[in-house]
């Protein structure tokens, strides 16, 4: 199969169908725009499992996603989309770059979710952009952007209570959307939702259970990913 794209954590291959792609999760981990690198056995498998579980939950909640079917533990068939080069971040609690850019202290609760946009461009270090930049750069129309924002908030309204049920606080997360190759007027959720792209803190201990364990050398990275997956699987089956 022809490799179409290799990212930091996933590969995308062509399939025999033009409207479908094969997505493969890798065990590679990167942070700080690729400066810090490592490999974690089973990360690909765990991220695919959690991402699938969450996407199925979102589908049930009326959020269309790119997921079509599973091939094996690290590979799924997804709908072919043109990725919109805007990373949509939703925050419930202050952390990460928000604290570096503003007066917020890590852990401060936000009164209402904060939505931010970042330009998906590694060479530029994914700078934060606003709705006017998005319009001027022709990344999305204002109509599409309004959809991205309402979809992101809807996703937060589904994921936040779900994670709370598992004893995890959904601090923040990053989403990517794409236009269907067969119908560019339809926008669906793409990419992944995993501890690589979310901040999740244990409700009772405050322990970080996400990629910050790798970013900040806190240890037990995969143990935390496995725990998040186990709690999510238990919550779905309960
Ligand atoms: N995030 C991501 N990919 C990126 C940048 C951020 O998945 O390229 C996620 C990150 O894991 C966190 C949220 O988006 O859950 C907000 O990230 P932030 O802006 O705080 O940046 P960070 O300090 O994590 O680089």
């Amino acid at each position: 199969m022809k490799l179409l794209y290799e990212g930091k954590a996933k590969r995308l291959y062509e399939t025999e169908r033009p409207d479908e792609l094969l997505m493969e999760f890798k065990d590679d981990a990167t942070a700080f725009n690729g400066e810090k690198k490592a490999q974690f056995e089973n990360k690909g498998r765990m991220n695919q499992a959690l991402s699938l579980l969450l996407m199925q939950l979102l589908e049930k909640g009326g959020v269309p996603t790119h997921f079509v079917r599973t091939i094996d533990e690290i590979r799924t068939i997804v709908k072919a989309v043109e990725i919109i080069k805007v990373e949509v971040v939703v925050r419930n609690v202050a952390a990460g770059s928000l604290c570096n850019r503003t007066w917020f202290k890590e852990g401060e609760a936000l009164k209402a979710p904060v939505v931010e946009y970042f330009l998906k461009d590694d060479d530029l270090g994914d700078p934060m952009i606003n709705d006017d930049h998005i319009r001027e750069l022709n990344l999305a129309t204002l109509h599409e952007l309004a959809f991205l924002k309402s979809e992101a908030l809807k996703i937060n309204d589904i994921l936040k209570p779900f994670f709370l049920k598992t004893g995890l606080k959904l601090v923040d997360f990053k989403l990517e959307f794409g236009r269907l190759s067969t119908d560019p007027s339809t926008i669906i959720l793409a990419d992944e939702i995993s501890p690589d792209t979310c901040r999740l803190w244990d409700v009772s201990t405050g322990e970080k259970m996400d990629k910050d364990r790798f970013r900040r050398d806190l240890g037990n990275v995969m143990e935390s990913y496995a725990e998040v997956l186990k709690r999510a699987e238990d919550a779905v089956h309960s």
Side-chain angles (χ1 to χ4, degrees), residues 8 32 87 89-91 95-98 100-101 116 118 122 126 172-174 176 195-199 211-212 215:
K8 286 175 273 195
F32 310 117
E87 300 190 343
V89 167
V90 181
R91 303 178 184 277
S97 72
L98 178 63
N100 303 331
R101 266 183 282 118
E116 295 173 349
F118 295 85
D122 286 339
D126 294 349
D172 58 32
F173 57 98
K174 184 264 300 181
E176 293 185 27
D196 274 5
T197 64
C198 299
R199 283 195 171 89
K211 195 166 139 182
D212 274 345
R215 290 191 189 98

Side-chain angles (χ1 to χ4, degrees), residues 70-81:
T70 304
I71 300 288
D72 61 25
E73 287 191 319
I74 55 161
R75 296 181 302 167
T76 53
I77 298 291
V78 295
K79 289 180 187 162
V81 295

Side-chain angles (χ1 to χ4, degrees), residues 8-210:
K8 286 175 273 195
K10 294 185 294 297
R11 295 187 189 91
L12 276 176
Y13 297 89
E14 251 176 16
T15 67
E16 55 284 356
R17 288 181 56 154
D19 59 337
E20 291 181 355
L21 301 175
L22 186 139
M23 185 169 83
E24 182 178 64
F25 279 82
K26 305 197 291 185
D27 284 343
D28 298 347
T30 65
F32 310 117
N33 202 22
E35 272 172 46
K36 181 170 178 174
K37 290 194 182 94
Q39 277 223 329
F40 293 100
E41 205 181 332
N42 283 325
K43 181 170 88 78
R45 186 179 66 74
M46 288 196 280
N47 278 3
Q48 169 165 305
L50 184 66
S51 194
L52 274 186
L53 180 156
L54 298 176
M55 290 221 181
Q56 281 164 344
L57 193 74
L58 292 174
E59 290 271 1
K60 273 196 215 145
V63 176
T65 77
H66 69 165
F67 174 66
V68 178
R69 65 178 182 279
T70 304
I71 300 288
D72 61 25
E73 287 191 319
I74 55 161
R75 296 181 302 167
T76 53
I77 298 291
V78 295
K79 289 180 187 162
V81 295
E82 178 218 355
I83 288 286
I84 296 174
K85 293 201 170 300
V86 177
E87 300 190 343
V88 182
V89 167
V90 181
R91 303 178 184 277
N92 297 305
V93 176
S97 72
L98 178 63
C99 299
N100 303 331
R101 266 183 282 118
T102 67
W103 296 327
F104 284 110
K105 295 273 170 286
E106 186 181 79
E108 251 181 81
L110 302 168
K111 291 191 283 293
V114 168
V115 179
E116 295 173 349
Y117 308 111
F118 295 85
L119 178 63
K120 191 172 153 60
D121 184 324
D122 286 339
D123 294 340
L124 293 177
D126 294 349
M128 189 161 89
I129 52 175
N130 69 19
D131 45 357
D132 291 336
H133 299 134
I134 291 171
R135 182 198 67 231
E136 290 300 319
L137 290 166
N138 294 317
L139 298 169
T141 65
L142 291 184
H143 177 72
E144 286 176 327
L145 186 59
F147 178 75
L148 298 189
K149 183 170 182 178
S150 69
E151 226 37 11
L153 290 171
K154 187 166 159 187
I155 291 167
N156 189 46
D157 284 342
I158 296 170
L159 295 187
K160 198 177 141 186
F162 173 75
F163 277 118
L164 206 53
K165 222 169 52 167
T166 75
L168 292 168
K169 197 188 278 184
L170 179 58
V171 171
D172 58 32
F173 57 98
K174 184 264 300 181
L175 301 169
E176 293 185 27
F177 294 88
R179 300 182 187 90
L180 272 186
S181 67
T182 50
D183 171 20
S185 67
T186 300
I187 293 176
I188 61 173
L189 179 67
D191 194 52
E192 67 177 286
I193 310 177
S194 71
D196 274 5
T197 64
C198 299
R199 283 195 171 89
L200 296 161
W201 296 351
D202 185 275
V203 171
S204 46
T205 65
E207 204 181 352
K208 296 177 183 10
M209 307 286 283
D210 54 62

